[in-house]
Amino acid sequence: MGFKQNGNGVWVPDPIEYELGTAISAGDWNANSGGGRFIPPMRDELALAHKCALFKLAGVTHLEFHDTEAPAEKAEQITEIVHDCGLKIAMCTANLFRRPEFINGNFGSPDPKVRQAAINYTKAYITVGIEIFEAEKYVYWNGSNGTIMPLGVDYDGVYARVAECLDEIISWMITTYGREKALIFCIEPKPNEPPSWAVPADVGEALAIIAMMDPANRPFVGLNPETCHSQMASKRYAMELGLAAAAGKLFHVHLNGGSENPKFDEDRGFGDINPSIAVETVFTLQQIGYKSVVGLDVQPLPTDTNDQQCESIARSIRNFHRALTCCQRLDVTALNAARLSGDQATIAEMFTAAVCGC
Ligand SMILES: [Mn+2]
């Protein structure tokens, strides 16, 4: 839990370690009645205990919550329901997008009152995460941060202000709880939706913002890359994982999927649309040595019935295990030899054979 000092005296995350694929989290928001701007709600809202039972049946071990679904005043009761079902809470995140004050951004807002509100919600929910949920991680998803119009925000200031807000939050968290108990703080980048140009847009931008922080606070902030967000940014997800890992910043993951070059966050099942992306992702997680809880951020399909509310999650977990099986077919020694000699033809053959199993 929290952070520990490595052999060089550097503070690094110290999450509970699991064999890859044995600890899977889902968002409380991943079972729902559905509906949106262009689709009708097709299902009932389920009570939390019912949802927990369905998530557990799907193979989920941990849940994740926004402060809007699980507000501080209900946090103890919610924790009890989750624990009674045999689940744990892996992550919590303050909603900095659906509240009216954040309609025009949050940490990057030019308005100090908006930034202060975002900081206050974040600190309050970190408190809940540590003191009640006993969560390991906190996620800042950029949400409304960025701009919907050209010159809608000062382009240098918007990045610097995010770094300043993160510095204030991390300094407070360390002073209040100590480094060992601090939540593992993750930035989840996304390039657009709701803003047309969101900040930070991808892993590289998030790393640039972390590099603007006080060096004493930098070790406590990392990444939560999400598959569909990376696809929206025209990035190859597994390479985003590699970049975060190379910087020592792969703190959490949100796996899901989308269509080719998606324009919005489709949150489809992991491996549903493109199984080869699932195999490449799981193989990369293995090679990186990712051992923490694997997060899913997957929505029910618009066509799913009441009984299928957690089917996208269940299928994603099955697909994760299918991908693990495919990865066993990849000979790492032979792959590395082909990489060394630059034999991309052999790599292509190995990869497709592993994905297809024939
Ligand atoms: Mn997500």
Side-chain angles (χ1 to χ4, degrees):
M1 301 283 274
F3 289 81
K4 65 178 179 190
Q5 277 178 295
N6 69 11
N8 301 321
V10 178
W11 288 93
V12 293
D14 186 24
I16 298 171
E17 295 191 343
Y18 302 91
E19 195 185 326
L20 194 63
T22 61
I24 307 263
S25 63
D28 171 73
W29 60 91
N30 289 154
N32 55 59
S33 56
R37 273 179 80 199
F38 307 113
I39 45 175
M42 297 293 285
R43 299 170 293 272
D44 300 331
E45 268 310 321
L46 302 179
L48 180 61
H50 191 173
K51 271 195 210 183
C52 285
L54 290 181
F55 277 132
K56 182 126 197 264
L57 209 59
V60 165
T61 56
H62 294 68
L63 286 187
E64 305 186 351
F65 286 101
H66 289 114
D67 62 343
T68 33
E69 297 129 19
E73 61 274 16
K74 290 188 186 163
E76 280 184 32
Q77 189 197 348
I78 284 169
T79 307
E80 211 175 290
I81 294 169
V82 172
H83 287 177
D84 281 352
C85 233
L87 302 174
K88 291 180 179 173
I89 300 175
M91 179 276 262
C92 63
T93 173
N95 185 324
L96 304 183
F97 48 96
R98 211 138 191 170
R99 296 181 158 110
E101 58 264 53
F102 303 127
I103 192 65
N104 196 32
N106 44 62
F107 290 149
S109 168
D111 182 347
K113 292 194 296 297
V114 172
R115 297 200 297 279
Q116 194 57 52
I119 288 169
N120 292 347
Y121 280 118
T122 303
K123 287 180 180 175
Y125 216 43
I126 286 173
T127 300
V128 171
I130 294 175
E131 295 186 6
I132 301 175
F133 291 156
E134 296 181 333
E136 282 195 302
K137 303 180 190 180
Y138 180 89
V139 166
Y140 163 59
W141 170 51
N142 52 0
S144 59
N145 205 54
T147 182
I148 60 170
M149 279 293 143
L151 300 181
V153 71
D154 52 323
Y155 294 149
D156 52 345
V158 68
Y159 296 95
R161 289 189 293 268
V162 174
E164 279 168 25
C165 289
L166 295 179
D167 263 327
E168 179 171 340
I169 291 160
I170 299 299
S171 296
W172 163 85
M173 178 165 67
I174 288 170
T175 307
T176 309
Y177 294 105
R179 292 170 177 83
E180 289 87 354
K181 278 188 78 177
L183 292 189
I184 297 167
F185 193 105
C186 316
I187 300 173
E188 180 175 324
K190 184 177 171 185
N192 61 276
E193 196 204 22
S196 302
W197 298 274
V199 172
D202 57 22
V203 169
E205 287 195 13
L207 291 175
I209 286 172
I210 294 169
M212 293 173 208
M213 293 177 62
D214 180 335
N217 291 331
R218 281 180 211 158
F220 305 95
V221 180
L223 265 297
N224 174 33
E226 176 169 313
T227 319
C228 198
H229 295 180
S230 296
Q231 290 180 288
M232 290 165 70
S234 298
K235 299 282 180 173
R236 191 139 194 104
Y237 182 61
M239 294 184 79
E240 289 275 270
L241 294 179
L243 174 58
K249 294 296 188 186
L250 187 62
F251 287 7
H252 193 48
V253 293
H254 265 179
L255 305 186
N256 54 21
S259 58
E260 289 78 18
N261 305 312
K263 298 285 195 292
F264 69 98
D265 199 359
E266 299 175 10
D267 284 337
R268 300 294 189 231
F270 177 64
D272 271 357
I273 294 171
N274 191 332
S276 74
I277 287 182
V279 174
E280 186 187 34
T281 296
V282 170
F283 183 78
T284 303
L285 289 173
Q286 285 179 327
Q287 295 301 303
I288 286 167
Y290 183 86
K291 294 189 178 71
S292 184
V293 177
V294 170
L296 295 172
D297 193 353
V298 165
Q299 293 293 343
L301 300 174
T303 49
D304 282 346
T305 63
N306 243 356
D307 297 337
Q308 291 175 309
Q309 289 215 13
C310 292
E311 260 314 297
S312 293
I313 291 286
R315 216 167 45 251
S316 296
I317 295 173
R318 287 196 295 275
N319 289 344
F320 191 96
H321 288 281
R322 287 177 177 125
L324 278 170
T325 302
C326 294
C327 290
Q328 287 172 7
R329 296 195 279 260
L330 274 170
D331 180 338
V332 178
T333 309
L335 177 64
N336 283 333
R339 285 169 169 174
L340 195 62
S341 66
D343 184 357
Q344 298 289 330
T346 293
I347 293 170
E349 178 66 24
M350 288 173 70
F351 182 61
T352 308
V355 171
C356 298
C358 58

